[in-house]
Amino acid sequence: MASPNTSQALVVTLSDQEKAKIWALIAARLDLAAEGADEVTLVHGRCDPRNTDGDRIPWDVALAEPWRGPFLGGDWHAHHHAVARGWIIEAVAADWALYGKAAGGIRNQLLVGRGADILVAAPIPGYSKGTYDCMRRAAAAGIPVDDISRPAPA
């Protein structure tokens, strides 16, 4: 995972239809995980979203300046899905300035350490190094991992 100050081109190009399908699938899996719960807390890694040119936009800038969008990113879309449903949200950002390249792994361990009923993940094969790291950590901690890039079990 690149630091916010590092430019990194997104190596996977998705059509608008493919993106819409992914975001809808994230929403559906989150709703399924929340089904029947009186209170839901979404915990996410607060990864800065990308604009359609592939540039990372700092989270707070994206919130304050929506005309820079549309924005892409699993954390971004899950966050707004949770807002729309009135869920509790805990965003745990990586501290790149303090921890450098180790920040993503440290943040992922903090996420996993909070415990969860399930991890819903939307990795892009060959690209989502941090997402795969969090998935491995969650599985090792006994947290079920729902990888939406793979077909759902029948």
Side-chain angles (χ1 to χ4, degrees):
M1 179 174 285
S3 74
N5 298 325
T6 303
S7 175
Q8 180 179 12
L10 186 60
V11 295
V12 176
T13 303
L14 301 173
S15 69
D16 288 342
Q17 185 178 17
E18 290 168 320
K19 291 172 198 166
K21 184 178 177 182
I22 291 169
W23 309 142
L25 191 51
I26 290 171
R29 296 285 179 86
L30 290 172
D31 286 342
L32 183 62
E35 195 171 277
D38 293 329
E39 184 176 273
V40 177
T41 300
L42 172 75
V43 181
H44 66 76
R46 199 177 188 256
C47 290
D48 292 336
R50 292 183 184 276
N51 63 18
T52 53
D53 293 329
D55 300 321
R56 287 245 182 238
I57 305 297
W59 190 277
D60 294 331
V61 172
L63 285 175
E65 301 175 7
W67 60 87
R68 289 182 181 240
F71 300 111
L72 312 171
D75 289 341
W76 182 258
H77 287 281
H79 178 94
H80 290 285
H81 185 75
V83 167
R85 281 157 176 67
W87 297 346
I88 298 164
I89 301 168
E90 296 178 13
V92 182
D95 191 339
W96 300 104
L98 182 61
Y99 298 113
K101 290 182 178 183
I106 292 168
R107 183 260 332 271
N108 290 345
Q109 191 57 49
L110 288 171
L111 290 169
V112 169
R114 288 173 180 241
D117 295 315
I118 191 166
L119 168 68
V120 177
I124 298 171
Y127 177 76
S128 301
K129 183 175 147 185
T131 302
Y132 286 116
D133 173 65
C134 195
M135 292 166 65
R136 281 189 297 275
R137 291 171 188 265
I143 298 170
V145 176
D146 182 359
D147 177 352
I148 71 164
S149 69
R150 297 174 183 255

